[in-house]
């Protein structure tokens, strides 16, 4: 008898699109548990800056792969894939449905077998040379080595840029997502919003996080030993919070530059996901017009 593949639901979309709330709502309807697929929410203490879901917002739905490691330690896509598969197995064994929710596309593809993570060991000599370069210099180098990978990488994340350059130097390019038989029965649900709507949500969300204490959180992280260099490596919010705390940027400059980068990041997320033809894209109007139960019946059954 052929063994049935475990059923897995993926909720994805750009930052600030409403993924987490939808994942919780679906989980409550079907008895699911959420696996966070965010490359920075795995780190302890990076809460407000990453927009990490709160205990109240979880509504008693179990969440996995949040707060698993110190931000001083690098957590790779390979680490995520290994821990994510253990979480899927555990959830399935308890006869629950795994719901993967997040916006880090490469992590999700690695977890579900759509892309094979290359077995390229660290190159200390290359890393030492690259450590002296700025993010913009690293990005320019990656563009020459692998223009395709450069299109959707976080241009402000030196750790990810260095790793991509390392792989491209060894293999010629970073492997692309492949169409292959997945070890899971996957349903892909994406949330799409107009640019105007998404930009408004990004703006409001950023102001909310500032009010909630995003700067104070970064200051406390530094006081506990997180270097400004590592903070910059963590990307996005922390890349701009670090120079702000060092008085290299004014509050106005920090907010303007950060909001612009978050918008750019959202666009890169969408470009990445457009390569996956299996995603069922839903607009906010569709979500409000249909009950979650009807959506699930139409897509998952």
């Amino acid at each position: 008898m052929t063994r049935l593949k475990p059923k897995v639901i993926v909720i994805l979309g750009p930052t600030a699109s409403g993924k987490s709330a939808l994942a919780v709502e679906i989980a409550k309807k079907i008895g699911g548990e959420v696996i966070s697929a965010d490359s920075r929410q795995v780190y302890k203490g990076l809460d407000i800056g990453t927009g990490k879901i709160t205990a109240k917002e979880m509504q008693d739905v179990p969440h996995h792969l949040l707060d698993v490691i110190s931000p001083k330690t690098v957590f790779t896509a390979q680490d995520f894939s290994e821990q994510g598969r253990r979480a899927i197995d555990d959830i399935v064994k308890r006869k629950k449905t795994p719901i993967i929710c997040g916006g880090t596309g490469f992590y999700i593809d690695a977890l579900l077998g759509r892309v094979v993570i290359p077995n390229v060991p660290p190159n200390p000599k290359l890393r030492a040379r690259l450590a002296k370069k700025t993010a913009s210099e690293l990005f320019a180098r990656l563009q020459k080595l692998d223009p395709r990978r450069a299109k959707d990488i976080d241009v402000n994340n030196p750790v990810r840029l260095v790793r991509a350059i390392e792989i491209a130097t060894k293999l010629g390019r970073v492997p692309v997502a492949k169409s292959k038989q997945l070890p899971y029965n996957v349903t892909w649900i994406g949330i799409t919003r107009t640019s105007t709507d998404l930009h408004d949500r990004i703006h409001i969300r950023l102001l909310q996080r500032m009010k909630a204490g995003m700067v104070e959180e970064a200051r406390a992280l530094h006081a506990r030993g997180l270097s400004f260099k590592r903070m910059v490596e963590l990307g996005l919010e922390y890349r701009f919070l670090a120079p702000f705390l060092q008085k290299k940027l004014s509050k106005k400059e920090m907010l303007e530059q950060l909001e612009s980068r978050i918008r750019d990041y959202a666009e890169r997320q969408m470009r990445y996901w457009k390569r996956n033809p299996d995603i069922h894209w839903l607009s906010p109007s569709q979500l409000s017009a249909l009950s979650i139960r009807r959506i699930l019946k139409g897509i998952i059954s």
Side-chain angles (χ1 to χ4, degrees):
M1 180 180 291
T2 303
R3 183 181 178 185
L4 294 177
K5 295 180 181 180
K7 182 175 289 187
V8 174
I9 300 171
V10 177
I11 308 294
L12 57 86
T15 185
S17 59
K19 301 180 294 295
S20 296
L22 178 59
V24 167
E25 192 167 356
I26 290 177
K28 290 170 63 180
K29 293 285 187 183
I30 66 173
E33 296 187 11
V34 177
I35 298 174
S36 171
D38 186 291
S39 62
R40 297 179 308 146
Q41 292 185 4
V42 296
Y43 294 113
K44 299 175 182 177
L46 272 62
D47 303 329
I48 302 171
T50 63
K52 193 178 293 178
I53 189 170
T54 65
K56 181 179 179 181
E57 292 167 339
M58 290 180 189
Q59 299 183 48
D60 295 324
V61 171
H63 280 62
H64 305 262
L65 267 71
L66 293 172
D67 304 317
V68 300
I69 197 166
S70 165
K72 298 178 186 178
T73 304
V74 175
F75 191 87
T76 67
Q78 181 66 49
D79 296 327
F80 176 81
S81 180
E82 292 172 356
Q83 293 198 28
R85 287 178 185 175
R86 286 199 293 269
I88 290 175
D89 291 344
D90 174 61
I91 294 168
V92 170
K93 283 180 182 178
R94 291 184 283 104
K95 301 189 184 303
K96 302 287 187 179
T97 301
I99 301 172
I100 301 166
C101 175
T104 306
F106 187 79
Y107 276 32
I108 297 175
D109 279 344
L111 171 61
L112 298 179
R114 294 190 73 249
V115 62
V116 177
I117 298 176
N119 184 21
V120 176
N123 184 330
K125 291 183 179 180
L126 176 61
R127 289 190 175 194
R129 294 198 302 271
L130 296 177
K132 301 174 184 178
K133 298 186 179 295
T134 65
S136 59
E137 289 172 335
L138 292 171
F139 180 65
R141 180 162 179 169
L142 180 61
Q143 282 184 308
K144 293 180 179 179
L145 286 169
D146 189 350
R148 184 209 59 79
R149 178 66 179 115
K151 287 182 180 180
D152 51 45
I153 199 169
D154 182 351
V155 298
N156 299 305
N157 190 322
V159 171
R160 200 164 295 172
L161 288 164
V162 167
R163 182 56 178 162
I165 291 171
E166 195 171 52
I167 294 170
T169 300
K170 179 71 174 180
L171 303 181
R173 66 176 183 175
V174 178
V176 298
K178 302 175 181 178
S179 297
K180 59 179 288 187
Q181 189 173 15
L182 302 175
Y184 310 107
N185 179 10
V186 183
T187 295
W188 303 81
I189 302 175
I191 301 177
T192 181
R193 292 180 179 272
T194 65
S195 294
T196 300
D197 182 24
L198 188 60
H199 290 174
D200 287 345
R201 289 175 64 89
I202 287 171
H203 177 74
I204 292 170
R205 190 173 184 234
L206 177 56
L207 295 182
Q208 288 173 337
R209 286 185 290 166
M210 285 292 291
K211 187 176 180 180
M214 187 168 70
V215 172
E216 290 74 17
E217 176 181 86
R219 186 177 287 116
L221 286 166
H222 182 63
R224 293 197 297 269
L226 187 66
S227 69
F228 286 131
K229 180 178 183 295
R230 177 58 179 152
M231 206 176 286
V232 169
E233 290 175 350
L234 289 167
L236 277 183
E237 294 83 2
Y238 299 95
R239 178 179 182 269
F240 293 93
L241 286 166
F244 172 70
L245 292 176
Q246 297 173 87
K247 302 187 185 305
K248 296 178 181 179
L249 285 179
S250 68
K251 182 177 180 180
K252 182 174 183 291
E253 290 171 331
M254 185 265 288
L255 288 174
E256 288 178 348
Q257 293 179 30
L258 175 54
E259 185 168 337
S260 175
R261 295 300 187 190
I262 295 174
R263 289 182 178 185
D264 291 343
Y265 176 59
E267 291 177 3
R268 289 197 303 275
Q269 287 176 302
M270 289 303 295
R271 284 199 297 270
Y272 183 95
W273 289 121
K274 284 179 180 178
R275 298 201 297 260
N276 184 343
D278 297 325
I279 298 173
H280 301 270
W281 289 102
L282 300 173
S283 68
S285 61
Q286 289 173 305
L287 288 173
S288 60
L290 298 172
S291 69
I292 297 300
R293 191 175 299 278
R294 285 181 60 197
I295 292 172
L296 293 175
K297 182 179 180 181
I299 294 176
I300 298 175
S301 60

